[in-house]
Amino acid sequence: MTRSSAAAFALASLCACAGSYTNGSTPINPIDGGGQGISTDGGGDAGADGGVDGGADAGPDAGCVALSLDSVGVVDSCVSVSPQIGSATGFVEDAGHGCAVSITLTTSPNPCSGVASGGTSNTCDGGCQGIGYSCTAPSLPGMLLCEQGLNTCTIQICAADAGTCP
């Protein structure tokens, strides 16, 4: 086989296999390779900020909701072996004031305090002075779970409209 025959054979083989090759064009990248992207407009602008501002704290989900507790029922198992029934007075400040929580219990001379979060649920994280426990609650009003090492106790703070605590 001569050189020219070998070259012709190689070229014929290459062309036979190349039948499945394409010119590389796609809907986004046409045959000229210039790449024009999508040809239609994506629509109008959503506006200056995409909607109405949520306010100073971007709405209740961003912090807490102000709450006032006025002599609501309490069942306190942190002050003695048997649960003590009493009342609580206190507040949750709004997000503009840091979501501070302060609760005074008639069952104890020591107030409980902390910080609320979680929006309208007012999840609380703090503690009760005097007993030295850190306390958390999934919502206020609700059940405070207080812990110190392996010791735990609860303080049930009832909703004003719930009547007596369960």
Side-chain angles (χ1 to χ4, degrees):
M1 195 186 264
T2 65
R3 276 189 182 182
S4 60
S5 310
F9 180 73
L11 181 61
S13 297
L14 181 62
C15 290
C17 293
S20 63
Y21 294 150
T22 67
N23 64 8
S25 70
T26 67
I28 292 176
N29 188 16
I31 197 166
D32 71 353
Q36 69 186 30
I38 298 174
S39 63
T40 60
D41 186 5
D45 187 8
D49 65 0
V52 177
D53 188 8
D57 66 356
D61 289 338
C64 60
V65 174
L67 172 71
S68 178
L69 302 170
D70 188 19
S71 297
V72 297
V74 167
V75 178
D76 186 347
S77 71
C78 292
V79 293
S80 70
V81 176
S82 61
Q84 301 294 305
I85 298 191
S87 63
T89 302
F91 59 85
V92 175
E93 291 183 331
D94 64 20
H97 293 96
C99 296
V101 175
S102 179
I103 302 169
T104 302
L105 307 169
T106 59
T107 56
S108 172
N110 303 300
C112 299
S113 60
V115 177
S117 62
T120 57
S121 68
N122 281 337
T123 301
C124 182
D125 188 18
C128 294
Q129 297 173 10
I131 62 171
Y133 283 44
S134 63
C135 301
T136 59
S139 66
L140 286 176
M143 180 76 70
L144 285 169
L145 174 62
C146 302
E147 299 177 321
Q148 182 186 49
L150 297 176
N151 299 317
T152 61
C153 62
T154 59
I155 302 171
Q156 174 72 45
I157 300 175
C158 299
D161 59 0
T164 59
C165 287

